[in-house]
Amino acid sequence: MKIIFAGTPDFAAQALSALIAAGHEIVMVLTQPDRPSGRGMKLTPSAVKNVALEQQIPVYQPEKLRSAEQQAPLMGIDADVMVVAAYGLILPQIILDLPRFGCLNIHASLLPRWRGAAPIQRAILAGDQATGITIMQMDVGLDTGDMLSVHVTPIMPDDNAATLHDKLAAQGAEAIVDALANLSSLERRVQPAEGVTYAEKLSKEEALIDWTQTATQLDLKIRAFNPFPSAQTSLDGVILKLWRATPIDGTGVIGSIIAIDKEAITIACGSGALRVTELQKSGGKRLSANAFLAGSPLEVGTQFAVNV
């Protein structure tokens, strides 16, 4: 097929690479404008743009697609379909109607659960047992279009946002290739009205650890916010990022260290305790608990800020 591809991060880049490998003709790539990143805040192309440039595919990077001028580069393209994955711009109806078979979206959730910007993190944070990929026929709503195929993947107890992202990126790439190969036989299903939830963007404020929550809730937060924006607590005014932990039975003064061993720092929660095995001091490196304690000794009874 002749495809317009719209996407920005690594999640989308995997799908673009898979479509190229499957023999489809990518006639244009849409991606977000280069953004400043890194310590030097150097303008950096998106992961999708990098793939497109390697394959010598034309790239278009509009700030918006609202005006006729912004839409003009797409108007002369005779595409069969547009594939959209984590693009980041709203597509108006005139763009949705351009390709022969419309626009297909690779969404990282089991719709209608977790429509919106951060479905991977929200699924973990909510304690969902499974998530997956939905291939959806796009309309002007926020992830409200008809479903063409659904692919389930379990959320494992040790999954964080990074590991689950990688699983779903691979699953999404495979799912869109399969969907295009069988497009004429796929049944369009209207999303059910029941079970709709919205995956709001993550905020740094959400990442603050409230030790009055249960150990299970805090474990979910640490996993959901790894790698961004990272779950954080405070000790004597110093911010600590918590990267890996396990909820266990335990009691003590909420927010205080109740045990220390070579592998973990155990902290009492509102219910149960959290055995922290990987953490990071502000401005430092991610360290195992053992390495962290070697440079920053702690004692049983040390009190973390209960709610930063």
Side-chain angles (χ1 to χ4, degrees):
M1 287 188 172
K2 293 175 66 176
I3 298 172
I4 300 171
F5 185 90
T8 298
D10 289 335
F11 179 89
Q14 288 198 42
L16 175 57
S17 295
L19 291 169
I20 294 168
H24 294 289
E25 180 186 357
I26 313 300
V27 293
M28 177 177 280
V29 161
L30 279 71
T31 191
Q32 289 276 326
D34 297 0
R35 304 294 188 196
S37 72
R39 291 188 177 180
M41 296 302 286
K42 180 181 177 182
L43 282 178
T44 304
S46 71
V48 163
K49 182 177 179 179
N50 285 332
V51 173
L53 293 178
E54 289 171 3
Q55 299 294 324
Q56 299 182 318
I57 299 169
V59 176
Y60 180 41
Q61 297 177 271
E63 287 283 356
K64 303 288 183 182
L65 280 169
R66 293 174 180 169
S67 70
E69 183 179 0
Q70 292 164 333
Q71 297 163 4
L74 298 172
M75 292 302 163
I77 299 176
D78 180 28
D80 294 310
V81 68
M82 180 186 289
V83 173
V84 182
Y87 177 33
L89 289 187
I90 295 173
L91 301 182
Q93 190 67 55
I94 191 171
I95 300 299
L96 296 175
D97 292 340
L98 276 180
R100 186 170 292 104
F101 299 109
C103 299
L104 304 187
N105 180 244
I106 309 168
H107 188 74
S109 82
L110 303 177
L111 290 171
R113 187 163 177 80
W114 302 128
R115 295 172 178 171
I120 296 173
Q121 295 89 342
R122 295 298 176 192
I124 295 175
L125 192 61
D128 291 358
Q129 298 299 301
T131 184
I133 292 291
T134 303
I135 303 298
M136 176 188 69
Q137 188 81 45
M138 293 179 70
D139 59 21
V140 291
L142 178 62
D143 300 325
T144 55
D146 293 349
M147 301 181 294
L148 297 178
S149 66
V150 177
H151 312 261
V152 179
T153 193
I155 300 177
M156 305 307 292
D158 60 347
D159 268 327
N160 57 38
T163 62
L164 191 55
H165 166 279
D166 291 350
K167 292 178 184 179
L168 292 175
Q171 187 178 46
E174 182 178 346
I176 191 61
V177 170
D178 183 69
L180 293 181
N182 298 282
L183 194 56
S184 61
S185 61
L186 292 179
E187 178 186 355
R188 290 178 58 158
R189 290 176 291 154
V190 175
Q191 292 187 35
E194 301 79 25
V196 175
T197 58
Y198 290 92
E200 302 290 343
K201 287 184 178 180
L202 303 179
S203 69
K204 291 185 177 180
E205 290 73 24
E206 287 182 274
L208 302 179
I209 292 285
D210 178 357
W211 291 106
T212 64
Q213 291 187 300
T214 70
T216 297
Q217 288 174 315
L218 294 181
D219 169 55
L220 293 173
K221 175 172 284 192
I222 291 168
R223 291 163 50 206
F225 289 21
N226 179 355
F228 177 84
S230 72
Q232 301 177 16
T233 187
S234 176
L235 179 62
D236 297 329
V238 177
I239 295 296
L240 297 178
K241 297 180 179 181
L242 306 186
W243 293 110
R244 195 176 302 274
T246 305
I248 61 171
D249 293 332
T251 58
V253 176
I254 293 174
S256 69
I257 297 176
I258 59 175
I260 296 175
D261 58 46
K262 291 183 179 180
E263 296 181 351
I265 302 162
T266 303
I267 305 165
C269 305
S271 174
L274 205 59
R275 195 167 184 270
V276 179
T277 54
E278 186 178 0
L279 64 166
Q280 178 182 6
K281 186 180 291 187
S282 181
K285 297 180 179 180
R286 291 173 63 156
L287 298 172
S288 66
N290 188 39
F292 182 90
L293 290 167
S296 304
L298 296 174
E299 298 178 352
V300 171
T302 298
Q303 181 72 45
F304 291 88
V306 173
N307 193 347
V308 178

